Amino acid sequence: MDYRFEKEYGCLVLRMPEELDHHQAEFVKEEADGLILKYPVRSLIFDFADTRFMDSSGIGVIIGRCKNVRFSGGYVKAVNLNGQIERIFRLSGLKKIIEVE
Amino acid sequence: MEGFRNEMKMEFLAISSNEGFARVAVGAFVSELDPTVDELADIKTAVSEAVTNCIIHGYEQKEGNIWIQCSILGKMVEISVTDTGKGIKDIALAREPLFTTKPELERSGMGFAFMEAFMDEVEVVSEPWKGTCVTMRKVIGESRMA
């Protein structure tokens, strides 16, 4: 998974995979948690620019990481959602939990 | 198109790398009905949820096989996803949004809710220690006529 950490803002941007299903979710969780431990993250951005598909497994990935970052007072946002992913966010109520841009 | 009929069956191992394969295969089969981008996304998401359930819940990530039977009748697509895993004790409870038996795996409990939201009909038949069969139906092209 590609990512970048903007030191100045404490901002970790995670580039989500092409397909965020149960199979990919396992890798993303592990890698994301490693990065959250490694860097002093004040805001976490999930970037869906490359993602064409997401199912309910993706919801667990996002909520789980939200908890980890918010525990230390951090802020979470999701960006660049396509129509299918936007619908998943809306139907699951994820849109009410985290900011979407 | 009214009397058009087609059918396919497939069997594959219950491993997570087959989730993508299963939804893409069903999507390709259904594409001859010329679904919209949204309809195709709906079907793929529903198949992905059903197959993921077989792997995580039916077989609890142990060895097993999954069967998908897909038929087209006129404009209706019917997809059955079957496993011979541990079955569902309480189907009504399992179908409730946000209900999950596996919170430790960060499961959201939205699998059946998504199948219901994205398909017209979802039927679940299950027997403990025999397995589960989820049958989903959707009419293609309805949204275009509305």
Side-chain angles (χ1 to χ4, degrees), chain A residues 19-24 26 29 53-57 59-61 63-65 83-84 87-88 91-92, chain B residues 16-17 19-20 23-24 38 41-42 44-45 48-49 52 55-56 61 105-108 110-111 114 117-118:
Chain A
E19 309 215 302
L20 185 53
D21 59 3
H22 161 238
H23 182 62
Q24 288 296 331
E26 298 305 310
K29 276 181 202 174
F53 178 87
M54 175 176 132
D55 65 14
S56 72
S57 301
I59 299 168
V61 173
I63 292 178
R65 305 309 64 73
Q84 190 257 344
R87 220 141 60 97
I88 297 281
L91 279 169
S92 63
Chain B
S16 66
S17 58
E19 291 156 3
R23 64 178 176 264
V24 169
D38 281 347
D42 288 352
K44 282 184 172 176
T45 310
S48 199
E49 299 298 347
T52 302
I55 295 171
I56 293 180
Q61 314 205 61
L105 295 181
E106 296 187 335
R107 303 307 308 167
S108 62
M110 292 301 287
F114 280 177
F118 296 139

Side-chain angles (χ1 to χ4, degrees), chain A residues 13 29-30 46 54 58 65 67-68 73 85 90 99:
Chain A
V13 182
K29 276 181 202 174
E30 208 184 301
F46 292 98
M54 175 176 132
R65 305 309 64 73
K67 281 182 191 158
N68 297 351
I85 299 168
R90 191 157 31 83
E99 195 190 319

Side-chain angles (χ1 to χ4, degrees), chain A residues 17-53:
Chain A
E18 259 184 57
E19 309 215 302
L20 185 53
D21 59 3
H22 161 238
H23 182 62
Q24 288 296 331
E26 298 305 310
F27 304 114
V28 173
K29 276 181 202 174
E30 208 184 301
E31 229 186 310
D33 287 343
L35 293 169
I36 291 167
L37 279 176
K38 185 173 165 195
Y39 295 107
V41 178
R42 273 182 284 142
S43 61
L44 176 64
I45 316 285
F46 292 98
D47 186 350
F48 285 91
D50 302 325
T51 313
R52 289 169 304 152
F53 178 87

